[in-house]
Amino acid sequence: MSDDIAEDISFRYKDLLGDNFTNEEATKVVIEEYLDEIDDEKITAFWLSFALIQWKLERLQDQVKSEALHIIESGVDLNRWEEDPKLKKKRKQMESYYLIK
């Protein structure tokens, strides 16, 4: 994701892990901090970004996975790609790949 929120989440989460927070503690802190600050428009970016970083680090928490899968299955995140049908199709294919995993 190219959103600034994705980068912010990644840095914050990794910092917490580096400060010896457990995965569960770091997850809780990130969720509490960001859900209080972000608006409804960025909520999908938050959950998808957080799920991706946790997945890459092999630390994907059930709650984060569940939220991301709900977004993917509903297709709500594809609305932001309406203006570019090629990117929307590519995005949908990519999400289908992760849904299978």
Side-chain angles (χ1 to χ4, degrees), residues 23 53-60:
N23 191 41
I53 187 63
Q54 285 193 340
W55 179 76
K56 285 181 176 180
L57 295 174
E58 298 181 4
R59 295 173 173 262
L60 185 56

Side-chain angles (χ1 to χ4, degrees), residues 41-86:
E41 194 174 293
K42 292 187 177 186
I43 196 75
T44 58
F46 169 79
W47 286 114
L48 294 175
S49 298
F50 199 21
L52 181 60
I53 187 63
Q54 285 193 340
W55 179 76
K56 285 181 176 180
L57 295 174
E58 298 181 4
R59 295 173 173 262
L60 185 56
Q61 294 285 295
D62 288 338
Q63 177 189 5
V64 177
K65 179 180 178 179
S66 176
E67 293 286 349
L69 288 175
H70 174 72
I71 290 166
I72 292 168
E73 290 168 352
S74 73
V76 70
D77 61 308
L78 295 176
N79 293 340
R80 66 191 292 189
W81 305 103
E82 287 296 328
E83 294 178 17
D84 191 334
K86 287 182 182 179

Side-chain angles (χ1 to χ4, degrees), residues 79-94:
N79 293 340
R80 66 191 292 189
W81 305 103
E82 287 296 328
E83 294 178 17
D84 191 334
K86 287 182 182 179
L87 281 177
K88 182 178 178 179
K89 182 178 178 182
K90 188 174 183 178
R91 182 68 178 202
K92 190 172 185 175
Q93 290 171 339
M94 186 175 77

Side-chain angles (χ1 to χ4, degrees), residues 31-44:
I31 290 171
E32 288 174 355
E33 287 180 0
Y34 282 88
L35 289 187
D36 286 342
E37 294 180 16
I38 60 175
D39 56 26
D40 290 342
E41 194 174 293
K42 292 187 177 186
I43 196 75
T44 58

